[in-house]
Amino acid sequence: MSGLLSKATAAEETTPSKPAEEEAKADTSALAQAIEQSEGPDISTILTSVGWAVIVIGGLLSLQGGAWGLIVVLGVLVIGIGALYAGQHMSESGVDPMRMGGAAVLAVLLAAGPYGVSMFMPESGSFGISDLELKEESDEISFRVIGSANSVDAVITADGVEKWSSSKELSQESARFTVPISEIFVGNAWQCNSGSCPTTPAIEYMISVTSGETTQTIDINPEFMTREVLDSGVKITPVTKTESSGSGQQGTTTTEIDRIVLEIMAGLQPTSHEHLDGGGHTDANGIWVEGDYTLEMVIMRGNTVVYGQSSSQGCPSATEGFPYIEVSGTTATSCRGDAGVSVNGWFAMPGPATDTVGTEYLALESFYDEDDCYTFQVTITNTISNGDELVVVQDDVAWELDFDSNKEGPWDMNTC
């Protein structure tokens, strides 16, 4: 036993052991090999992937058509094909002409194809007309075209007759057109007949926008294109004052006419409208016009002006006449700067005096001489933005006034 043990011990002593340094080198080599095997794709694969990614980006740019130039799309295409070629060149198998040619053709179809279709195929014309508005300060119609069309042709017609046209390219899928009313206006869209003022347009103003084979149309609001005041009306209402004298049973009270309130309206009225006995006017549903015009009034006895003056003579003082009124759209201002004048319906003509409740009136001594036929003449001066004028003079509004011999009424005020 002791002999066998001794031999075993001797055998172990005679077996050489590997140095620690060699063992460390073996471990390092294995680790390096594992790291090399775990690395990502080689440069060839990376370039190929980048090439296809660039080509896809070119295709997305091409889909946007005119937003990106053809040169930009082709430049992106060249970069993509170049990356594909470099990737094949650095691969182990080298450049394969068949594979490279097929890749190039596919790249061209993917990147340049949509752009070519957008250039050579008819445009779909996906657009619409919006934001139609009246710009009262500048007397213009404005509207916007929005959509995917590259360019559009716009036309405005009045009862089918072309009055204006323009073409524009859409920027950021939008283009705005502004049109002077003077270029398209041929008459009021709304017009009255003998019995009423219908809101069905007598003249149709229409916008048509075309791109390729597609056309969109929209009617211009008739209110925008009813610009000229052709009619007016006048009402007069006597106002009395009461005076007492004495007291008790000896006292007396008298009520007599002292002044008149004068109302006026301007716009469109049925052709049958007329002034009535008693200082009134027929109750007809008229149309109030939003436009640019001036209203002025004078009172005449016979051929003599007893109160008022023409606007061409300047703004009259309160003792000389009514102020003339300038209207722009819905805003009315008297030449004296009176604020809050409203011309949408019947309104009191600014008078030289105001009572305790704020009603403006005209005292008899301001215009009245004696019993006679008095005419209340209204002059309307319509102004279109090109400087043309249409003047309407209504000089047939007259009543017999007998305030002198009959101060206490009743007053017939029959038309004359």
Side-chain angles (χ1 to χ4, degrees):
M1 292 284 298
S2 61
L4 292 175
L5 181 58
S6 298
K7 289 182 180 180
T9 302
E12 288 181 3
E13 291 177 354
T14 57
T15 301
S17 60
K18 293 183 180 181
E21 183 178 351
E22 292 182 7
E23 291 182 2
K25 287 183 178 180
D27 293 341
T28 302
S29 177
L31 179 61
Q33 185 177 2
I35 292 174
E36 183 177 353
Q37 292 176 351
S38 65
E39 287 181 353
D42 55 20
I43 296 178
S44 171
T45 303
I46 293 174
L47 288 174
T48 301
S49 300
V50 169
W52 284 113
V54 171
I55 291 171
V56 171
I57 293 174
L60 295 175
L61 296 179
S62 176
L63 284 172
Q64 299 184 40
W68 295 89
L70 181 59
I71 295 177
V72 174
V73 174
L74 291 179
V76 173
L77 183 63
V78 169
I79 294 173
I81 294 176
L84 288 178
Y85 178 83
Q88 286 198 20
H89 181 72
M90 297 185 66
S91 65
E92 294 181 0
S93 58
V95 178
D96 184 339
M98 292 294 293
R99 289 177 57 196
M100 190 63 212
V105 171
L106 184 59
V108 170
L109 293 176
L110 179 61
Y115 194 91
V117 170
S118 67
M119 288 184 61
F120 301 111
M121 291 295 289
E123 193 174 74
S124 63
S126 177
F127 63 91
I129 306 170
S130 67
D131 298 341
L132 175 61
E133 61 180 350
L134 170 64
K135 303 176 71 174
E136 191 64 61
E137 292 183 358
S138 57
D139 293 325
E140 294 173 316
I141 294 291
S142 178
F143 63 93
R144 194 158 64 101
V145 178
I146 57 175
S148 61
N150 290 330
S151 61
V152 294
D153 301 317
V155 174
I156 294 181
T157 58
D159 271 355
V161 178
E162 181 177 321
K163 305 303 295 181
W164 171 91
S165 64
S166 181
S167 299
K168 280 191 177 184
E169 293 185 355
L170 271 64
S171 175
Q172 302 295 323
E173 299 188 344
S174 174
R176 179 167 287 281
F177 293 87
T178 302
V179 187
I181 293 177
S182 60
E183 294 188 18
I184 61 176
F185 185 79
V186 297
N188 287 334
W190 283 331
Q191 297 178 14
C192 300
N193 54 41
S194 62
S196 64
C197 296
T199 54
T200 300
I203 299 177
E204 293 185 342
Y205 292 88
M206 180 177 292
I207 300 171
S208 299
V209 178
T210 302
S211 179
E213 298 181 356
T214 303
T215 299
Q216 302 284 352
T217 61
I218 185 174
D219 292 329
I220 299 177
N221 188 339
E223 183 178 353
F224 294 171
M225 302 307 297
T226 302
R227 306 289 299 172
E228 292 180 336
V229 175
L230 303 179
D231 303 299
S232 66
V234 178
K235 293 179 182 180
I236 57 173
T237 304
V239 180
T240 60
K241 68 176 180 178
T242 300
E243 293 184 346
S244 299
S245 61
S247 60
Q249 296 181 351
Q250 303 299 321
T252 61
T253 300
T254 59
T255 300
E256 61 182 34
I257 186 169
D258 176 61
R259 53 193 182 271
I260 63 171
V261 172
L262 193 150
E263 295 177 273
I264 185 174
M265 67 86 178
L268 301 179
Q269 288 286 317
T271 55
S272 60
H273 81 101
E274 60 181 339
H275 295 83
L276 305 175
D277 292 344
H281 184 273
T282 51
D283 292 327
N285 293 323
I287 295 176
W288 318 117
V289 174
E290 295 181 12
D292 300 323
Y293 58 95
T294 301
L295 287 174
E296 53 188 287
M297 172 181 284
V298 296
I299 303 176
M300 305 174 65
R301 183 166 67 84
N303 294 323
T304 302
V305 175
V306 294
Y307 186 75
Q309 65 183 39
S310 169
S311 60
S312 61
Q313 299 175 268
C315 188
S317 65
T319 58
E320 294 173 331
F322 297 108
Y324 60 86
I325 298 174
E326 295 178 322
V327 182
S328 177
T330 58
T331 303
T333 306
S334 80
C335 63
R336 296 176 190 156
D338 298 321
V341 178
S342 173
V343 295
N344 188 12
W346 289 97
F347 66 96
M349 197 68 177
T354 305
D355 62 18
T356 55
V357 295
T359 302
E360 295 181 275
Y361 63 87
L362 182 64
L364 289 187
E365 60 266 23
S366 298
F367 74 97
Y368 189 81
D369 291 332
E370 58 184 79
D371 295 349
D372 205 341
C373 179
Y374 287 80
T375 300
F376 296 79
Q377 178 177 289
V378 178
T379 300
I380 306 162
T381 304
N382 295 280
T383 304
I384 306 299
S385 57
N386 62 359
D388 293 341
E389 291 184 345
L390 172 65
V391 180
V392 178
V393 179
Q394 186 170 19
D395 56 4
D396 59 347
V397 182
W399 288 280
E400 288 279 358
L401 303 183
D402 57 352
F403 301 148
D404 190 23
S405 59
N406 182 24
K407 289 188 176 182
E408 296 184 11
W411 306 280
D412 294 331
M413 296 190 297
N414 294 324
T415 58
C416 56

